[in-house]
Amino acid sequence: MTKKEFTQFIDNLRADFIENKEQWENKTLEDYLEAVCRYTEDIDGYYKNTNQEIDLEKVDWQIFADILKGSSLYE
């Protein structure tokens, strides 16, 4: 996924939340961030169950941390 594809994905995710909020399990930021944490812990199981070979040791997790932290301050 490219940076542009990622930003488009985030825009689409936001639009889906606005249009389909009632279908989302985690409707508050607090609940959503909790789910992000738990899902990140279990993401290897998702990849195994869907027969995707993703090497999670090669992911630069710092980028995700920077995006999440920076977004709390960005206007």
Side-chain angles (χ1 to χ4, degrees), residues 31-43:
D31 290 343
Y32 189 76
L33 290 174
E34 174 70 19
V36 168
C37 184
R38 300 299 152 241
Y39 195 75
T40 301
E41 291 175 338
D42 294 336
I43 194 75

Side-chain angles (χ1 to χ4, degrees), residues 22-68:
E22 68 282 350
Q23 296 176 5
W24 282 53
E25 179 72 26
N26 302 296
K27 295 174 179 67
T28 68
L29 181 59
E30 180 180 1
D31 290 343
Y32 189 76
L33 290 174
E34 174 70 19
V36 168
C37 184
R38 300 299 152 241
Y39 195 75
T40 301
E41 291 175 338
D42 294 336
I43 194 75
D44 55 328
Y46 165 77
Y47 289 127
K48 285 179 186 176
N49 291 336
T50 57
N51 296 316
Q52 297 182 64
E53 293 194 27
I54 305 292
D55 186 351
L56 296 173
E57 297 304 318
K58 291 186 178 179
V59 174
D60 188 348
W61 295 99
Q62 185 61 51
I63 292 172
F64 294 106
D66 292 343
I67 290 170
L68 291 170

